[in-house]
Amino acid sequence: MGADEDRPVVLVVDDDEDHLMMLEASFDAAGYEVLTAASFADASKKLMESSVDALVADLTLGDGSALDLLPPLGDRRPRVAIVLSGFDRPEDFERARAAGFDAHLVKPTPFDRLTSIIDEGLKKRASGVQLARPRPGNGPKRAPY
Protein backbone atom coordinates (compact mmCIF):
# COMPACT_ATOMS: atom_id res chain seq x y z
CA MET A 1 0.00 0.00 0.00
CA GLY A 2 1.03 3.61 0.39
CA ALA A 3 3.13 5.27 3.05
CA ASP A 4 1.40 3.66 6.04
CA GLU A 5 0.49 -0.03 5.64
CA ASP A 6 -2.51 0.40 7.95
CA ARG A 7 -3.85 3.46 6.15
CA PRO A 8 -4.32 3.24 2.39
CA VAL A 9 -3.45 6.48 0.63
CA VAL A 10 -6.31 8.01 -1.35
CA LEU A 11 -5.94 11.04 -3.62
CA VAL A 12 -9.19 13.01 -3.82
CA VAL A 13 -9.49 15.38 -6.77
CA ASP A 14 -12.27 17.93 -7.09
CA ASP A 15 -12.35 21.58 -8.10
CA ASP A 16 -15.38 22.16 -5.86
CA GLU A 17 -13.74 23.18 -2.59
CA ASP A 18 -16.71 22.20 -0.39
CA HIS A 19 -16.98 18.72 -1.93
CA LEU A 20 -13.21 18.26 -1.72
CA MET A 21 -13.17 19.18 1.99
CA MET A 22 -16.14 16.91 2.72
CA LEU A 23 -14.51 13.93 1.03
CA GLU A 24 -11.17 14.66 2.69
CA ALA A 25 -12.75 14.70 6.16
CA SER A 26 -14.81 11.58 5.44
CA PHE A 27 -11.86 9.55 4.15
CA ASP A 28 -9.69 10.70 7.05
CA ALA A 29 -12.38 9.70 9.58
CA ALA A 30 -12.69 6.32 7.82
CA GLY A 31 -9.00 5.60 8.36
CA TYR A 32 -7.43 6.57 5.05
CA GLU A 33 -4.39 8.78 4.57
CA VAL A 34 -5.72 11.56 2.35
CA LEU A 35 -4.05 13.70 -0.28
CA THR A 36 -6.10 16.32 -2.10
CA ALA A 37 -5.89 18.19 -5.37
CA ALA A 38 -8.18 20.96 -6.56
CA SER A 39 -7.11 20.86 -10.21
CA PHE A 40 -6.02 18.52 -12.98
CA ALA A 41 -2.49 19.96 -12.89
CA ASP A 42 -2.15 19.46 -9.13
CA ALA A 43 -3.56 15.92 -9.35
CA SER A 44 -1.15 15.00 -12.17
CA LYS A 45 1.78 16.28 -10.15
CA LYS A 46 0.75 14.40 -6.99
CA LEU A 47 0.16 11.18 -8.91
CA MET A 48 3.67 11.37 -10.37
CA GLU A 49 5.35 12.29 -7.08
CA SER A 50 3.43 10.22 -4.52
CA SER A 51 2.58 6.59 -3.97
CA VAL A 52 -1.22 6.52 -4.11
CA ASP A 53 -3.34 3.42 -3.49
CA ALA A 54 -6.64 4.89 -4.67
CA LEU A 55 -7.80 7.81 -6.77
CA VAL A 56 -11.25 9.38 -6.42
CA ALA A 57 -11.66 12.14 -8.98
CA ASP A 58 -14.45 14.40 -10.16
CA LEU A 59 -14.75 13.96 -13.92
CA THR A 60 -14.83 17.60 -14.92
CA LEU A 61 -12.06 19.77 -13.54
CA GLY A 62 -11.55 23.42 -14.40
CA ASP A 63 -8.28 22.73 -16.21
CA GLY A 64 -8.88 19.25 -17.61
CA SER A 65 -10.68 15.94 -17.41
CA ALA A 66 -10.06 13.22 -14.86
CA LEU A 67 -10.11 10.78 -17.77
CA ASP A 68 -6.68 12.09 -18.76
CA LEU A 69 -5.07 11.41 -15.36
CA LEU A 70 -4.35 7.68 -15.61
CA PRO A 71 -2.88 7.03 -19.09
CA PRO A 72 0.42 8.89 -18.51
CA LEU A 73 1.08 7.01 -15.25
CA GLY A 74 1.82 3.57 -16.65
CA ASP A 75 2.79 1.27 -13.79
CA ARG A 76 2.48 4.14 -11.28
CA ARG A 77 -1.30 3.91 -11.66
CA PRO A 78 -3.19 3.78 -8.35
CA ARG A 79 -4.44 0.30 -7.56
CA VAL A 80 -8.06 1.55 -7.58
CA ALA A 81 -9.38 4.50 -9.59
CA ILE A 82 -12.89 5.91 -9.34
CA VAL A 83 -14.37 8.78 -11.31
CA LEU A 84 -17.35 10.72 -9.95
CA SER A 85 -19.65 12.35 -12.46
CA GLY A 86 -23.04 13.85 -13.03
CA PHE A 87 -23.18 12.04 -16.39
CA ASP A 88 -24.79 8.62 -16.66
CA ARG A 89 -24.98 7.80 -20.36
CA PRO A 90 -23.56 4.42 -21.48
CA GLU A 91 -20.80 6.21 -23.40
CA ASP A 92 -19.73 8.01 -20.20
CA PHE A 93 -19.20 4.67 -18.45
CA GLU A 94 -17.33 3.32 -21.47
CA ARG A 95 -15.02 6.35 -21.66
CA ALA A 96 -14.15 5.96 -17.97
CA ARG A 97 -13.42 2.27 -18.46
CA ALA A 98 -11.32 2.97 -21.55
CA ALA A 99 -9.31 5.55 -19.62
CA GLY A 100 -8.46 2.92 -17.00
CA PHE A 101 -10.94 3.70 -14.24
CA ASP A 102 -12.34 0.80 -12.22
CA ALA A 103 -15.61 2.57 -11.50
CA HIS A 104 -17.67 5.46 -12.85
CA LEU A 105 -20.10 6.56 -10.15
CA VAL A 106 -22.91 9.04 -10.63
CA LYS A 107 -23.23 11.83 -8.09
CA PRO A 108 -24.40 11.86 -5.44
CA THR A 109 -22.71 8.63 -4.38
CA PRO A 110 -23.02 7.34 -0.82
CA PHE A 111 -19.65 7.49 0.92
CA ASP A 112 -19.85 3.86 2.05
CA ARG A 113 -20.11 2.85 -1.60
CA LEU A 114 -16.83 4.64 -2.33
CA THR A 115 -15.02 2.97 0.55
CA SER A 116 -16.48 -0.42 -0.32
CA ILE A 117 -15.19 -0.20 -3.91
CA ILE A 118 -11.78 0.99 -2.73
CA ASP A 119 -11.41 -1.69 -0.06
CA GLU A 120 -12.60 -4.46 -2.37
CA GLY A 121 -10.31 -3.24 -5.14
CA LEU A 122 -7.28 -3.03 -2.87
CA LYS A 123 -7.86 -6.59 -1.64
CA LYS A 124 -8.31 -7.94 -5.17
CA ARG A 125 -5.30 -6.11 -6.53
CA ALA A 126 -3.16 -7.28 -3.59
CA SER A 127 -4.07 -10.87 -4.49
CA GLY A 128 -3.34 -10.31 -8.18
CA VAL A 129 -6.99 -10.56 -9.24
CA GLN A 130 -8.16 -7.88 -11.66
CA LEU A 131 -11.32 -5.94 -10.88
CA ALA A 132 -14.27 -6.80 -13.08
CA ARG A 133 -15.14 -4.16 -15.61
CA PRO A 134 -18.93 -3.87 -15.83
CA ARG A 135 -20.46 -3.29 -19.21
CA PRO A 136 -22.59 -0.17 -19.54
CA GLY A 137 -25.84 -0.39 -21.36
CA ASN A 138 -29.30 -1.66 -20.70
CA GLY A 139 -29.47 -1.66 -16.97
CA PRO A 140 -29.84 0.70 -14.10
CA LYS A 141 -28.75 4.26 -14.73
CA ARG A 142 -26.20 3.97 -11.96
CA ALA A 143 -23.12 1.84 -12.52
CA PRO A 144 -23.38 -1.66 -11.05
CA TYR A 145 -20.15 -1.39 -9.00
Side-chain angles (χ1 to χ4, degrees):
M1 281 189 213
D4 183 340
E5 287 296 317
D6 296 326
R7 288 177 45 112
V9 178
V10 62
L11 173 60
V12 179
V13 184
D14 201 319
D15 58 353
D16 179 316
E17 185 178 348
D18 291 335
H19 195 242
L20 182 65
M21 289 174 32
M22 185 273 303
L23 285 174
E24 178 182 23
S26 297
F27 276 113
D28 184 59
Y32 295 83
E33 182 176 334
V34 186
L35 302 174
T36 61
S39 68
F40 176 87
D42 191 29
S44 294
K45 182 179 178 186
K46 286 183 178 171
L47 285 166
M48 292 304 287
E49 295 175 351
S50 304
S51 178
V52 175
D53 295 305
L55 169 67
V56 176
D58 185 32
L59 175 65
T60 307
L61 303 167
D63 60 341
S65 168
L67 299 182
D68 297 322
L69 288 171
L70 296 179
L73 297 176
D75 62 355
R76 291 191 50 82
R77 178 203 187 280
R79 293 174 21 207
V80 179
I82 300 169
V83 67
L84 301 175
S85 170
F87 303 106
D88 65 355
R89 299 169 303 187
E91 58 265 34
D92 298 317
F93 294 96
E94 180 56 32
R95 277 195 287 273
R97 186 203 62 76
F101 282 85
D102 300 297
H104 174 283
L105 301 178
V106 179
K107 293 179 183 180
T109 298
F111 182 73
D112 62 341
R113 190 165 187 206
L114 284 173
T115 57
S116 175
I117 292 169
I118 291 170
D119 293 343
E120 179 184 331
L122 292 177
K123 286 176 191 169
K124 286 183 179 180
R125 293 278 166 100
S127 68
V129 176
Q130 290 290 336
L131 290 178
R133 306 241 184 209
R135 294 188 183 127
N138 300 335
K141 284 194 165 195
R142 295 185 187 255
Y145 306 96

